Each structure stands twice: as structure tokens, then as C-alpha cells.
Amino acid sequence: MELPEELLRKAAAGLSRGSILFWRGYPFRDGTVGDKMVLLLSECVEDRCYVVVLPTSQIQHYVTGRREMVDTVCFPKGESSWFEKDTVVDLKRYDEVSVEDLAPHFVSGAAKKIGELDGTDMTKIIEVVKNAETLSPRVQKHILGDD
């Protein structure tokens, strides 16, 4: 089903790089769903996709070596007003979400913007993106706004 242009614009209004969403029923790649905080890493440009990542406080996966610390940003408890626990933003585990996929969740109330990362937090992420080993040049450019 194609959504009206006005609805798409309304869903994207106020969303930008650094926006934080709370999304009830976020669709994971494995087909399961869960309530998650979602961080927008990019603006929405012509291709109408946001690059998003799910911050996680499950740092044991990184400390024990099950997941590599390459292209990750760590926020120790209390460093960011958004992360009450030690939190990892793993850029290797990004996803791309189109406005068309996001809009119905905003309309239903399942997804809503809850705030923005502050400039210091976003700068910390951008520095890792600039030197990323695992992100494709296309995704890097999209996050950095060079596309």
C-alpha cells in the first residue's frame, strides 16, 4: 500500500541525525519484534532511508569477545543523559529504514520521537563513523551527510 506524500512528510517531520525513537514492536532481522530505543544515524535524503542502530546495554557480548569492539561507541553509565547503564552503539549492526516503513508506526503510535542525542554524543559517534572499518562507503557517506 502506497502512503500519501503528506503522511510521509508528517512522519519524517522533526526527525534528523541524532533523533531517538521509542519503537514498540520494532521488527528485528530474525523476524521477532521487541520494544526498543532506536537511534537515527542519518538524515532522510532522496532514497528515503534512515540509517538506524539499536543502542544496547548488553555489553557482556562485547566484554566476553562474542562481538568485536570494532566500529563501536561505548557510553559509560552517566556519560550520556540517554543511557542509564553502560551502553554500546554497534555500527556493524545498523539497519536501514525507509520513511514508508516508519510512517505507519508513527500513525499508530507504536513509534515516537523521544528526544535527541546531544552534540557531544553525536560527535563521538561521527568520529567512529569517519574511521569505520566495516561500514560500506555508501553507508558512511549517508551517515556523514556526504551523499
Side-chain angles (χ1 to χ4, degrees):
M1 178 179 140
E2 193 165 319
L3 296 171
E5 190 68 30
E6 181 180 335
L7 181 60
L8 296 175
R9 276 195 307 277
K10 192 173 186 179
L15 297 181
S16 61
R17 180 171 63 189
S19 292
I20 300 171
L21 313 179
F22 182 75
W23 191 329
R24 281 188 207 84
Y26 179 85
F28 295 104
R29 290 180 184 169
D30 66 2
T32 61
V33 295
D35 298 346
K36 292 298 292 181
M37 178 187 284
V38 177
L39 172 60
L40 274 58
L41 295 177
S42 71
E43 301 291 337
C44 178
V45 291
E46 289 89 30
D47 65 3
R48 293 187 129 136
C49 280
Y50 292 100
V51 177
V52 303
V53 69
L54 307 176
T56 182
S57 60
Q58 296 181 14
I59 63 167
Q60 70 275 11
H61 297 301
Y62 298 88
V63 175
T64 62
R66 287 180 52 204
R67 295 186 184 155
E68 288 187 74
M69 289 298 285
V70 174
D71 297 343
T72 58
V73 183
C74 299
F75 290 95
K77 177 182 178 179
E79 183 178 289
S80 171
S81 61
W82 284 102
F83 308 123
E84 296 173 356
K85 301 177 181 178
D86 292 340
T87 300
V88 172
V89 173
D90 187 346
L91 299 173
K92 296 180 300 302
R93 299 174 64 85
Y94 76 89
D95 206 352
E96 294 181 90
V97 178
S98 70
V99 174
E100 289 85 355
D101 289 340
L102 184 58
H105 299 283
F106 267 92
V107 170
S108 72
K112 64 180 179 176
K113 180 178 175 181
I114 58 173
E116 299 273 336
L117 275 187
D118 71 31
T120 304
D121 294 343
M122 203 61 219
T123 297
K124 191 173 176 179
I125 292 170
I126 292 301
E127 288 306 311
V128 174
V129 170
K130 286 179 182 177
N131 299 302
E133 297 175 23
T134 60
L135 294 176
S136 72
R138 179 189 68 80
V139 171
Q140 259 181 317
K141 283 180 161 185
H142 190 65
I143 294 171
L144 297 173
D146 295 339
D147 49 0

